[in-house]
Amino acid sequence: MQYRHLGVSGLRVSALGFGAGTFAGTGPLFSAWGDTGEREARRLVDIALAAGINFFDTADVYSDGASECVLGAALKGRRDQVVLSTKTGLRLGDGVNDAGASRHRLLRAVDASLRRLGTDYIDLLQLHAFDARTPLEETLATLDGLVRAGKVRYLGVSNFSGWQLMKALAIADRRGHARPVAHQAYYSLIGRDYEWELMPLGLDQGVDAVVWSPLGWGRLTGRIRRGQPPPPGSRLHATEAFAPPVEVERLYRVTDALDAVAEETGRPVPQVALNWLLQRPGVATVLVGARNAQQLEQNLGAADWSLSPAQMARLDAASSVPTPYPYYPYWNGMFAERNPPPVPPHREPTP
């Protein structure tokens, strides 16, 4: 397993992380993801730790807090071995203040997450979404206070736009607050919007990607192919309405290329899709989830090898889409040779 620094920080995280969205599994979305209980969760955590994974991620909204409870129970007795990450900000309850990133909500939410996780500190706390109704000055001052109090050690965001993240960074810098070092974002071979603005912003500002849904909401598992309906048992039947959209022909173009590269490498399709992400700039960790040990062990196999430059180029070409204004390649090309995008040395993976 490789370990990479998380943004401009001294914290090192495994190149593959474990996403606990499948734990507990209640409600129409999360029950389709998985319903792993404490006993099986401990087994999955055992497998992940043995493979070198040290980054475990959940959120208070996953199964209304039950995912945090199950993950905390599975980590009992080995809390100090892991980097524990959770998220808050989405609605959790029916009260008028049960959503967002106000001081009132954040202080209550963090204390509740600590209780459910069975710990007295959170290694990485991420805002699950941008709260346009709360001044960022209030949110960041509250988060800084949580860091100073020792309840939180590092900060991140999730699902922010470029201007939202840059505004947060500017306020944190101006006021001397702890600044975000991670951005948990959707990124996959069929979801490359992250590259247009968020990737160069992250490289410039030292905010690394924590990638969620790296298999494109289950579409890049090797079970979805041209001319075939989703197989029986696919979670897409129940969750497609929640999934990031993708144009059908583009999906098949990518799955065709994945099949070809998988045949060349002798690796399963999911490993190829994950390995492509592991070689992208500014990616600190790629979250893999699993409903059972077999799925987890297969996904873990993505970390011990590398696609060739030719194979990366083939997947790049198959998954590319026209770049929108103002990111159109013409403008970038005018300055590409003189001013290449900065890649800080701390991004280099270490064994």
Side-chain angles (χ1 to χ4, degrees):
M1 182 65 64
Q2 293 179 345
Y3 298 91
R4 304 171 177 185
H5 283 93
L6 185 62
V8 181
S9 82
L11 186 65
R12 296 173 69 198
V13 297
S14 48
L16 290 178
F18 186 93
T22 59
F23 286 2
T26 62
L29 174 59
F30 298 109
S31 61
W33 282 9
D35 58 356
T36 304
E38 288 185 15
R39 182 176 179 180
E40 181 64 13
R42 180 167 281 273
R43 183 182 179 213
L44 295 178
V45 168
D46 288 342
I47 294 170
L49 288 172
I53 284 182
N54 76 341
F55 187 85
F56 291 80
D57 178 75
T58 183
D60 60 5
V61 75
Y62 292 171
S63 298
D64 294 330
S67 172
E68 287 184 326
C69 292
V70 172
L71 179 59
L75 290 172
K76 188 174 182 180
R78 43 197 175 172
R79 170 66 182 91
D80 292 342
Q81 299 178 38
V82 306
V83 175
L84 185 55
S85 164
T86 193
K87 302 178 288 295
T88 191
L90 298 182
R91 177 161 292 281
L92 187 63
D94 298 325
V96 67
N97 286 308
D98 288 340
S102 68
R103 178 175 292 106
H104 177 84
R105 169 70 196 290
L106 286 175
L107 294 177
R108 293 170 60 233
V110 167
D111 283 344
S113 287
L114 289 171
R115 286 193 298 270
R116 287 190 292 263
L117 289 164
T119 184
D120 57 3
Y121 67 97
I122 295 165
D123 292 297
L124 177 66
L125 177 68
Q126 300 158 95
L127 298 175
H128 212 156
F130 182 73
D131 177 8
R133 291 185 173 89
T134 300
L136 267 172
E137 289 82 357
E138 175 182 337
T139 297
L140 292 165
T142 305
L143 293 173
D144 185 69
L146 288 165
V147 172
R148 292 175 186 273
K151 293 185 177 182
V152 173
R153 295 191 171 174
Y154 296 91
L155 301 175
V157 300
S158 181
N159 306 313
F160 273 40
S161 69
W163 75 264
Q164 292 163 353
L165 175 55
M166 194 63 240
K167 183 175 181 180
L169 292 166
I171 292 171
D173 289 346
R174 185 170 69 247
R175 301 205 169 191
H177 295 330
R179 73 196 317 260
V181 297
H183 187 185
Q184 188 165 152
Y186 172 59
Y187 188 20
S188 75
L189 274 164
I190 55 171
R192 295 181 61 179
D193 293 358
Y194 177 79
E195 297 173 358
W196 296 341
E197 179 167 279
L198 293 169
M199 177 184 283
L201 188 161
L203 290 170
D204 180 70
Q205 292 293 311
V207 179
D208 279 350
V210 175
V211 176
W212 65 263
S213 201
L215 297 180
W217 210 268
R219 296 184 179 105
L220 304 181
T221 61
R223 304 180 71 194
I224 306 297
R225 287 187 168 86
R226 188 185 297 273
Q228 300 178 16
S234 169
R235 72 184 185 190
L236 280 174
H237 293 292
T239 66
E240 189 165 20
F242 301 97
V246 58
E247 193 270 326
V248 173
E249 179 54 35
R250 179 168 176 249
L251 170 62
Y252 290 145
R253 192 167 68 242
V254 171
T255 56
D256 289 347
L258 280 170
D259 281 338
V261 174
E263 185 174 355
E264 284 182 9
T265 59
R267 298 278 182 167
V269 165
Q271 288 188 18
V272 175
L274 293 170
N275 194 272
W276 179 85
L277 278 168
L278 290 173
Q279 297 190 55
R280 303 301 294 165
V283 171
T285 187
V286 176
L287 297 178
V288 295
R291 287 179 282 184
N292 54 57
Q294 182 180 10
Q295 281 187 346
L296 178 57
E297 288 168 345
Q298 183 184 83
N299 289 338
L300 289 172
D304 60 356
W305 61 285
S306 295
L307 292 162
S308 71
Q311 290 163 343
M312 289 287 292
R314 187 185 311 176
L315 294 171
D316 287 346
S319 60
S320 66
V321 294
T323 307
Y325 175 84
Y327 313 109
Y328 189 70
Y330 168 73
W331 307 106
N332 296 333
M334 290 178 65
F335 304 101
E337 292 184 4
R338 294 182 181 178
N339 300 297
V343 182
H346 75 273
R347 304 263 184 269
E348 292 298 321
T350 53

